[in-house]
Amino acid sequence: MQKIRPCLWFDNQAEEAAAFYVSVFGGDSRIENTTRWPEGTESAGSVLTVDFVLAGQEYMGLNGGPQFTFDESVSLSVDCADQEEVDRLWAAFTEDGEESQCGWLRDKYGLSWQIVPRELPELLNGPDRARAERAMKAMMGMRKLDVQALRDA
């Protein structure tokens, strides 16, 4: 078990969301444990928590009720190897979700993600400051990030 793992608060969709995220990331992703409310409680038998792993990172999903919802102040940033991975993840998360800008989106559960091509930091922080400024300006006008357009800037 890793020392720190994010806990994602859902109304009542933790199990569904965990299964969806595992299906999107595949590979080193899996559901590890599901805890149910005990007998004698109002929610007896329903899912309380789901422990899952996405690309080797541990998470816990909690069905905590409608009191709290996700917002953009917290997002999960995904390091994408190439445009193909950016496109695949963008399509999966925006189906029934919502595009934002600069590589950000909200999935169908309201969780914010940053879908980021691996070379973006180099383009934005490279020694050629004029090129970096052009890449930043190009990125600011995008929803889904386009690696070639960022390079061309």
Side-chain angles (χ1 to χ4, degrees):
M1 182 177 205
Q2 64 196 36
K3 190 166 188 79
I4 298 172
R5 68 181 171 149
C7 177
L8 305 175
W9 179 299
F10 296 89
D11 181 358
N12 61 3
Q13 317 93 330
E15 186 173 39
E16 176 187 324
F20 172 68
Y21 299 147
V22 166
S23 75
V24 168
F25 284 98
D28 189 14
S29 302
R30 63 195 172 280
I31 293 178
E32 297 211 309
N33 186 49
T34 302
T35 303
R36 299 188 178 278
W37 284 94
E39 292 301 320
T41 63
E42 184 178 317
S43 301
S46 65
V47 172
L48 174 61
T49 64
V50 179
D51 299 316
F52 59 103
V53 175
L54 301 178
Q57 168 74 43
E58 296 176 5
Y59 295 86
M60 178 173 52
L62 167 70
N63 282 332
Q67 297 91 328
F68 301 108
T69 58
F70 297 119
D71 66 35
E72 289 80 3
S73 66
V74 174
S75 62
L76 300 180
S77 182
V78 183
D79 173 43
C80 297
D82 52 30
Q83 187 69 50
E84 181 180 327
E85 187 175 14
V86 168
D87 293 345
R88 182 181 66 77
L89 293 176
W90 192 268
F93 286 133
T94 58
E95 183 175 339
D96 298 323
E98 179 182 337
E99 293 185 356
S100 188
Q101 68 179 43
C102 304
W104 288 55
L105 59 85
R106 288 180 66 144
D107 69 22
K108 61 186 170 183
Y109 304 102
L111 184 59
S112 291
W113 296 82
Q114 297 177 54
I115 308 302
V116 182
R118 184 164 295 148
E119 67 186 272
L120 182 64
E122 179 185 328
L123 292 169
L124 298 179
N125 299 312
D128 182 343
R129 297 312 308 154
R131 180 181 185 206
E133 288 176 22
R134 290 190 308 271
M136 175 65 82
K137 183 176 181 181
M139 182 189 73
M140 295 301 289
M142 296 178 183
R143 289 186 177 272
K144 178 178 73 173
L145 298 183
D146 179 331
V147 176
Q148 191 59 53
L150 291 167
R151 285 181 195 139
D152 292 345

